[in-house]
Amino acid sequence: MTPVQIKICGVTNIRDARACTELGATMIGLNFYPQSPRYVEPKVARQIVEAVPRGVQAVGVFVNALADEIRSIANAAEIRCVQVHGDFSAETCRELAGEFRVIRAFSTDARFRPKETALFSECDILVDAHHPNLRGGTGLTCDWSAARATLPFARFLFLSGGLNAQNVGHAIAAVAPHAVDVCSSVESAPGAKDYRAIKNFVAAVRMAERSAIASSP
């Protein structure tokens, strides 16, 4: 079994970024949505990117931003991976994918159709819980059956939405994602990471991997 990658989103400072990577995160998310309590300025994001090991991928998170705005901010922050939420067409994502690794986020609301993610073949796919107003970091649990149904259409699948140390093992068993994305359950407050919670989350992911290997034929 290929190790499940771990993305910790909503990182806002260097100290937390370094702790996330030391505790086992392979990716960190930096939020460029101004309405988010986890928003970071591009210049701060760049300092964070420069402070983490090269093997850790920083992901810029955007909501309903124009392609030129995404390009400008990502380049200023020296980020090579962008995660887009909201109304992004396959054409726009294809354009961005010529310059960046693109993660296209989908919410598992009543309109979600797993097969439609195949239109974004140049992108990785992130499946998250639906919230009428917020984009990520809500603590709401994703529809795991919908996420599992997305797997055949995604070249790389991120599972997000309400994951924590208590349920991530069940989520991995149910969905078999390539990566898990966590935010609010590893915080003491929005944008402030809880290192013990991160340690417990990473341990739960690795335990789920060992269980999967042990149960495989």
Side-chain angles (χ1 to χ4, degrees):
M1 178 181 180
T2 303
V4 177
Q5 295 188 36
I6 298 172
K7 176 173 170 281
I8 298 180
C9 209
V11 174
T12 59
N13 60 76
I14 290 173
R15 182 171 180 266
D16 283 358
R18 285 176 171 162
C20 288
T21 63
E22 290 167 2
L23 291 168
T26 49
M27 288 173 275
I28 58 170
L30 305 172
N31 197 318
F32 296 116
Y33 182 47
Q35 283 70 42
S36 172
R38 303 172 182 90
Y39 171 77
V40 291
E41 295 280 352
K43 63 181 180 181
V44 174
R46 181 166 180 163
Q47 294 169 354
I48 294 171
V49 171
E50 292 173 345
V52 298
R54 288 186 177 274
V56 174
Q57 184 153 59
V59 180
V61 179
F62 297 87
V63 178
N64 288 331
L66 298 175
D68 285 346
E69 179 185 1
I70 293 172
R71 188 179 293 110
S72 176
I73 292 174
N75 287 334
E78 294 193 339
I79 284 173
R80 306 314 305 161
C81 179
V82 298
Q83 177 178 315
V84 295
H85 294 249
D87 300 322
F88 284 90
S89 67
E91 182 180 3
T92 298
C93 288
R94 192 177 303 115
E95 175 189 344
L96 289 169
E99 301 174 60
F100 306 97
R101 177 183 181 183
V102 178
I103 304 170
R104 175 63 161 90
F106 290 87
S107 297
T108 54
D109 59 15
R111 297 171 298 171
F112 178 65
R113 299 292 182 269
K115 190 174 183 178
E116 293 179 1
T117 62
L119 297 172
F120 298 83
S121 58
E122 295 88 355
C123 305
D124 299 338
I125 301 298
L126 181 144
V127 182
D128 198 357
H130 171 67
H131 189 283
N133 301 313
L134 302 178
R135 304 285 186 166
T138 66
L140 298 177
T141 303
C142 172
D143 181 341
W144 292 349
S145 61
R148 177 72 185 203
T150 306
L151 193 60
F153 307 106
R155 68 178 188 184
F156 190 98
L157 181 67
F158 289 80
L159 178 64
S160 187
L163 297 178
N164 54 52
Q166 288 70 46
N167 69 10
V168 71
H170 297 296
I172 290 171
V175 179
H178 301 99
V180 290
D181 185 316
V182 65
C183 185
S184 60
S185 75
V186 294
E187 291 181 323
S188 55
K193 298 308 176 192
D194 181 328
Y195 302 159
R196 177 172 290 184
I198 293 172
K199 183 178 180 180
N200 291 341
F201 183 85
V202 172
V205 172
R206 300 305 169 217
M207 182 179 292
E209 289 175 346
R210 292 193 294 272
S211 297
I213 292 170
S215 61
S216 62

